[in-house]
Amino acid sequence: MPATLRDVAERAEVSVRTVSNVVSGYEHVSKRMRAKVLAAIEELDYRANPVARTLRTGRTGLLGLVVPEITVPYFSELARDVIDAAAEYGYRVMIDQTGHDHDRERQLLMGDDRTMLFDGMLFSPLVTKAELLDMHGSTKMPLVLLGEHEFDGRYDHVAIDNVAAAMDAVAHLAEIGRERIAAIGSQPQEEYSTPLQRFAGYTKALDTAGLVTHPEFAITAEHYSREAGYEATRALLALSPLPDAIFCFSDLLAIGAMRAVFDAGLDVPGDIAVIGIDDVDEGRFARPSLSTVSLDTPFIAREAVRRIATRIDEPETPAEEVIAPHRLVARESTVANHP
């Protein structure tokens, strides 16, 4: 017969509740007590029964993480950090993606067969309309919003200051003497918050530096991909005069932009400096290495999981907005002699 919680409790000489707390990852258990329970679990080869736990507690121990596209390095790195943070609270994570599909976002917010498995959901939508949040409210599922959306006080929200991040990137380009600064990343869907905020930061930084805003230097990108960055930069390279710097709204756009500059026989940063936002691993190892605005994804993940864990345990806790830090990282794509 497989060992039960009661068997473990008797072997460790503790209560069944203490064993349950250890198995569930409850943090407020003394080191001494936890060690006794873990030793008993190993001796008895105890395996938790997730079905029994769900019936007993009404919880599955699962969190849902919903992102637009898991293949985008920023979201894959964020998922890694969320999984690590959730483990500290005794949760496992299931990942879903919307594929930039508004209907899919709506379906997940309204709740489907899969989301019903979650004790709570971390959601990074492209657009969060008030009416969708109204619909989600009927599901009673704990929800934390990720990404750059206006905080209305109903749901916990973890985000970065996109305007400030964009301003820091463009200010860096101005400080190294660039005057014709282009931007890649505006999107035709005007309701998308991230592009709007980053474009606002771009224009504000140009104004602060006393530089001219050239409308033809602002190029749209329907998706934040290497291919989109490449094609947008080719359009910029057809202009006269050329830009002497490009601010990309993501690192993937910037990596595509650098490739296009090289293919045109020009130099980065000699002829055109390039900077992105995200600080994904690929940019650190590109040649030249990519200057960027680094977003603290471990912080975002920790805060998001902290808020969802609190929301699950204390549903009436007031919603909180947390703004994650960011920092400028200057590398070879803007400063040629960067070590």
Side-chain angles (χ1 to χ4, degrees):
M1 293 276 299
T4 66
L5 277 180
R6 186 170 298 281
D7 295 332
V8 175
E10 290 176 355
R11 178 65 62 90
E13 298 181 337
V14 300
S15 69
V16 172
R17 182 175 181 80
T18 297
V19 176
S20 178
N21 286 341
V22 172
V23 172
S24 300
Y26 185 65
E27 58 184 0
H28 300 299
V29 178
S30 70
K31 291 182 179 179
R32 174 178 164 278
M33 199 70 72
R34 188 183 301 277
K36 288 180 65 176
V37 172
L38 292 176
I41 287 173
E42 184 173 356
E43 289 174 16
L44 297 174
D45 194 26
Y46 170 76
R47 295 290 182 269
N49 184 331
V51 175
R53 181 179 65 179
T54 298
L55 292 173
R56 185 175 64 254
T57 66
R59 297 180 182 178
T60 63
L62 293 175
L63 299 178
L65 172 64
V66 180
V67 298
E69 191 174 356
I70 195 62
T71 56
V72 172
Y74 171 79
F75 290 117
S76 60
E77 292 177 19
L78 176 64
R80 173 198 62 198
D81 294 332
V82 166
I83 290 169
D84 290 343
E88 296 181 10
Y89 288 83
Y91 285 103
R92 294 184 179 182
V93 180
M94 292 182 67
I95 301 170
D96 208 335
Q97 65 177 3
T98 60
H100 306 275
D101 186 333
H102 294 314
D103 289 335
R104 181 61 178 153
E105 288 186 355
R106 183 179 298 105
Q107 181 185 22
L108 289 168
L109 275 174
M110 286 293 295
D112 61 10
D113 291 343
R114 185 172 183 178
T115 57
M116 291 301 101
L117 295 172
F118 305 151
D119 292 334
M121 186 162 59
L122 311 176
F123 200 94
S124 180
L126 291 173
V127 181
T128 307
K129 295 184 179 297
E131 56 266 29
L132 286 183
L133 294 179
D134 292 339
M135 293 176 185
H136 174 78
S138 65
T139 71
K140 306 298 183 184
M141 178 186 292
L143 175 70
V144 171
L145 294 174
L146 304 175
E148 293 60 63
H149 306 284
E150 185 174 346
F151 178 63
D152 67 2
R154 286 188 289 172
Y155 296 97
D156 295 287
H157 182 208
V158 182
I160 65 164
D161 187 337
N162 268 298
V163 175
M167 288 185 68
D168 288 348
V170 177
H172 170 66
L173 295 173
E175 287 167 2
I176 63 173
R178 305 305 166 118
E179 297 181 345
R180 301 184 306 279
I181 302 174
I184 297 175
S186 296
Q187 292 190 328
Q189 300 89 341
E190 293 185 357
E191 71 270 27
Y192 286 7
S193 299
T194 298
L196 288 173
Q197 293 174 3
R198 293 184 182 180
F199 186 77
Y202 162 70
T203 56
K204 189 172 182 179
L206 290 179
D207 185 62
T208 300
L211 299 176
V212 176
T213 300
H214 298 280
E216 67 273 19
F217 279 0
I219 306 296
T220 61
E222 187 168 353
H223 297 293
Y224 284 3
S225 65
R226 303 168 189 83
E227 294 80 6
Y230 187 91
E231 293 302 324
T233 302
R234 289 185 61 186
L236 287 171
L237 294 176
L239 300 176
S240 181
L242 292 176
D244 59 10
I246 303 174
F247 163 51
C248 296
F249 290 13
S250 80
D251 281 358
L252 287 191
L253 288 171
I255 289 166
M258 289 198 296
R259 180 76 255 177
V261 172
F262 289 137
D263 285 355
L266 301 173
D267 179 68
V268 175
D271 297 306
I272 300 176
V274 178
I275 191 169
I277 290 184
D278 285 338
D279 196 18
V280 299
D281 289 341
E282 184 178 346
R284 300 184 193 112
F285 294 96
R287 185 173 182 185
S289 55
L290 179 64
S291 294
T292 188
V293 177
S294 180
L295 309 181
D296 194 339
T297 56
F299 176 92
I300 294 170
R302 287 194 305 271
E303 287 300 302
V305 172
R306 177 182 69 85
R307 290 309 305 164
I308 199 67
T310 299
R311 179 72 44 216
I312 292 168
D313 291 336
E314 304 172 37
E316 301 306 317
T317 301
E320 178 182 345
E321 181 173 48
V322 179
I323 303 299
H326 66 267
R327 63 187 178 90
L328 179 78
V329 181
R331 298 193 182 106
E332 295 165 338
S333 67
T334 60
V335 184
N337 61 353
H338 173 81

